[in-house]
Amino acid sequence: MDKLIFYPPAVSQRNEWYRFFSCGMIHADIPHLIFNMYALYLFGSGQNYINAEGLKDNTGVEWFFVKVFGMAGYFWYFTMYAAAVGICLLPTYKKNKDNYHYRSLGASGGVAAVVFAKIALDPINGIGLILIPVYLAGFLFGILYIFISYQLDKRQQGNINHSAHIWGSFFGIVFIIALCQLSGKYPLLPELVEKIKNFRLDQIITFGRG
């Protein structure tokens, strides 16, 4: 735990830069690990279904990367996740590089990147909380999530690194849109804008399955 956890003074004074990424391989406890991996599974691996053309399809971000980029999609999916784990901690590092009492761990920044990449792909599909069958349109859920995380981060209460959640979320959206636009393989940005423009009021909240 001590060797892998994100400890800013160890980076600033001993150049242990690996901690930006190694902290994503450890979690505070079993519920922390299960929650992160369950969210990663739901939004990353997704769910199989048969589309309108009668072909097998999947709702996951990983599947999207493979469908658009072929086998290289696995590389890009892992790159987005792993890079988010480290990059989301840069603001935390800047703020706490001389704070000997600060430590952070978990893969929440990477998971947040995957969740928000999914929102970019399907902004209208409902997202909710576990065991509560009420779903808010994805892009509205994202806005609310960022707002609440920002407010909690300002208060600096508890042991959750809300800053990592916020910056991981932003990274996920920017990464998947930039990759699609720069590669020319998929018009994600105009598609995202069009879906939100055609958003209907009856899609704000849905019940049952999201």
Side-chain angles (χ1 to χ4, degrees):
M1 182 74 78
D2 288 339
K3 287 291 185 181
L4 299 178
I5 201 167
F6 184 68
Y7 180 48
V11 178
S12 62
Q13 298 176 21
R14 300 199 297 265
N15 293 319
E16 295 178 357
W17 297 96
Y18 70 87
R19 290 179 182 270
F20 274 94
F21 302 97
S22 63
C23 65
M25 295 186 286
I26 54 177
H27 288 74
D29 48 38
I30 295 299
H32 184 204
L33 174 64
I34 290 175
F35 182 83
N36 267 346
M37 295 303 100
Y38 182 64
L40 183 63
Y41 168 74
L42 283 182
F43 292 92
S45 297
Q47 300 164 346
N48 293 322
Y49 70 97
I50 304 301
N51 63 24
E53 288 75 36
L55 302 174
K56 180 182 176 182
D57 212 332
N58 185 283
T59 61
V61 176
E62 181 182 26
W63 180 274
F64 170 82
F65 274 112
V66 174
K67 186 164 59 174
V68 173
F69 300 102
M71 293 301 293
Y74 291 110
F75 167 79
W76 288 120
Y77 175 68
F78 175 77
T79 298
M80 180 185 73
Y81 171 81
V85 169
I87 290 174
C88 75
L89 291 170
L90 289 174
T92 300
Y93 172 69
K94 182 178 180 181
K95 185 175 182 180
N96 295 281
K97 63 182 179 179
D98 296 316
N99 184 351
Y100 293 94
H101 302 287
Y102 186 87
R103 287 166 176 77
S104 180
L105 76 172
S108 298
V111 174
V114 173
V115 172
F116 274 70
K118 174 59 179 174
I119 291 175
L121 294 173
D122 197 358
I124 309 304
N125 192 49
I127 299 178
L129 301 177
I130 297 173
L131 302 179
I132 301 178
V134 180
Y135 301 89
L136 185 65
F139 78 98
L140 295 177
F141 178 93
I143 293 171
L144 183 62
Y145 177 87
I146 294 294
F147 175 76
I148 292 175
S149 295
Y150 175 73
Q151 295 300 322
L152 293 174
D153 186 54
K154 282 203 307 182
R155 295 179 187 176
Q156 294 292 301
Q157 295 178 345
N159 298 318
I160 299 175
N161 187 353
H162 297 288
S163 171
H165 296 171
I166 294 170
W167 290 105
S169 302
F170 285 143
F171 181 82
I173 289 181
V174 171
F175 183 93
I176 195 169
I177 290 177
L179 182 62
C180 288
Q181 294 302 120
L182 293 174
S183 68
K185 298 251 182 180
Y186 194 85
L188 180 57
L189 183 58
E191 184 178 273
L192 171 62
V193 172
E194 190 65 24
K195 286 179 179 178
I196 294 177
K197 279 174 58 180
N198 295 327
F199 174 67
R200 304 190 313 269
L201 292 179
D202 64 347
Q203 295 174 311
I204 293 178
I205 297 177
T206 54
F207 300 91
R209 297 181 62 184

